[in-house]
Amino acid sequence: QVQLVESGGGLVQAGGSLRLSCAASGRSFSGDCMAWFRQAPGKDREIVSAVARTGNTYYADSVKDRFTISRDYANNILYLQMNSLKPEDTAVYYCAAVRSFGLQFKKELYDYWGQGTQVTVSS
């Protein structure tokens, strides 16, 4: 019943843009910290961006100034606008949520996860 479903991934050329969406259902996630993680082949899952209920945001250095996280609180949707994409951004992107008033950065603390959506950036 409670689930997160990502969409919007695909194949894009370097320098291009994609917008990922995460539709949450089953309950309201308005009070949660929500985040995007990614995992490249052979790599550990890493945080990309997070947003708290206050609107405070976090971005990994590797995506700062290129990605923008946002939320539609009324409809329980999390977005990640990805601009100026690089081949290094290629990964499976996951959305996640945890009941927290503030920003959380450790993947171990997140309770709900989507199934992931593949982003592939060609050079």
Side-chain angles (χ1 to χ4, degrees):
Q1 294 183 6
V2 177
Q3 61 179 2
L4 307 176
V5 180
E6 302 97 333
S7 62
L11 176 64
V12 65
Q13 289 187 330
S17 298
L18 285 173
R19 184 177 66 183
L20 305 183
S21 299
C22 174
S25 61
R27 68 170 178 86
S28 175
F29 287 78
S30 296
D32 291 29
C33 177
M34 299 192 72
W36 290 95
F37 290 79
R38 68 185 182 187
Q39 188 165 22
K43 304 294 184 180
D44 193 20
R45 190 170 299 187
E46 64 178 4
I47 190 166
V48 176
S49 183
V51 56
R53 60 180 293 179
T54 61
N56 289 341
T57 58
Y58 164 83
Y59 296 94
D61 289 341
S62 59
V63 307
K64 200 167 298 181
D65 301 321
R66 298 189 297 120
F67 292 8
T68 303
I69 193 169
S70 62
R71 296 170 71 168
D72 179 344
Y73 286 93
N75 294 294
N76 272 350
I77 304 174
L78 178 71
Y79 298 100
L80 185 68
Q81 179 65 47
M82 309 165 68
N83 298 327
S84 302
L85 283 161
K86 304 175 180 179
E88 305 90 86
D89 296 317
T90 295
V92 177
Y93 284 71
Y94 301 88
C95 65
V98 58
R99 287 186 172 92
S100 174
F101 291 105
L103 289 169
Q104 300 295 333
F105 313 102
K106 299 179 180 178
K107 59 180 179 292
E108 293 82 8
L109 296 178
Y110 284 80
D111 299 306
Y112 301 95
W113 293 84
Q115 83 290 345
T117 185
Q118 176 71 48
V119 172
T120 302
V121 184
S122 62
S123 59

